[in-house]
Amino acid sequence: MSSDAMIDWDVAARAGKRVVRAGPEVSLHEAKSAVAQLRESALAADAHVSAITKIAQPPHTAPTLVVDRAGWIDVNSESVGHLMAPLVDKLASANATSGVGKLVGSRVTGTEAGVVLGFLASRVLGQFDVFGPRGGQLLLVAPNIIDAERKLDVNPTDFRLWVCLHEVTHRLQFTAVDWIGQYMRTQIADLVDASDLDSDSLKQKIKEVAGELKDRKRSGDREPGLGIVSLAQSPQQRAIIERMTAVMSLLEGHAEYVMDAVGPSVVPSVAEIRRKFKRRRAGRSPIDRVFRKLLGLEAKMRQYAEGRKFIDGVVDEVGMDGFNRVWATPDNLPTMTELRDPALWVKRVQPLGITPGAS
């Protein structure tokens, strides 16, 4: 039984497009100009990211797509469906004789999943899509970037390059370090294997997330509940989640480091952008609450903060060449304990040279 028997992702995409908010008003000229500039900024970011990270761009990298909110929903409904397929297939197989497809109601669950996609589609600025069936691709959501730069009242040219620096760093991580993507897939597969979720739990959790989004005004800033993977956390699952959280924190912190390391010679108003963006994150981070609610992982805000402190601490002690030893092998990835105490990672790994492939 395919994953579509439990969640109809075509329905999810259509539902997401129905509920997503309209983007900011822009003229056709403004829209075309923004798309062109975002493409140029992503291209320009390659050199800056390589200069800061000391990791050479690979000969063949993932494509850049500038999309609107509906386009983001299309890509992510397909990508999330592809990512969740092993988990859903496992649940379907375990319940094959009980009519699980009818029990869950693929179209109903697809509609609820679409509510989540629609909510996120108006907030995500950019994303490196790792798990889609077509391979990696960098997404830049033009209306959201325009909306953010207007609300922050920052220089659009600077802000667009600044956002691209973050997302291009993620692209470099997954294209230059060839084992990172497979490492993440392995962790997810191991989590699925260790899972004892049932189909009713999956259906209920998606409905809870969608319901919370629908009632957001009424619920205010109420702390969200636990997510899908937290429904049945064995010690084995907790260990996997901790490894996933550590590597996600590393990747996010690395991208945050690059965004600010470029300096005013590249992004003249970088200090102003960071100050205003930090205030925006502190005041409202719905996407973080949704991800925590849906996935049961650490909030992305904590990943940004802890990952950034780790990179700062390691680079201060052993330089970027020493830090780049983290990409040499999965054994060199920091644990959550080391993430919070960079000196422990330095003591264990003893970085002495440049990572193979780094410039």
Side-chain angles (χ1 to χ4, degrees), residues 15-26:
K17 292 174 188 176
R18 285 197 302 271
V19 302
V20 70
R21 297 184 302 171
E25 292 187 9
V26 295

Side-chain angles (χ1 to χ4, degrees), residues 14 40 108 173 186 250 279 346 358:
R14 292 196 294 271
E40 292 170 359
V108 173
Q173 291 162 348
T186 298
L250 172 73
R279 189 162 59 237
V346 172

Side-chain angles (χ1 to χ4, degrees), residues 304-348:
Y304 290 138
E306 292 185 344
R308 174 63 187 272
K309 287 180 181 178
F310 175 79
I311 279 78
D312 285 342
V314 173
V315 172
D316 284 348
E317 187 166 348
V318 297
M320 184 58 72
D321 291 339
F323 166 77
N324 277 342
R325 291 296 301 166
V326 78
W327 312 118
T329 168
D331 291 338
N332 283 2
L333 289 172
T335 65
M336 286 301 298
T337 300
E338 291 170 341
L339 202 72
R340 299 180 181 117
D341 188 349
L344 293 177
W345 180 86
V346 172
K347 183 178 180 180
R348 175 174 67 87

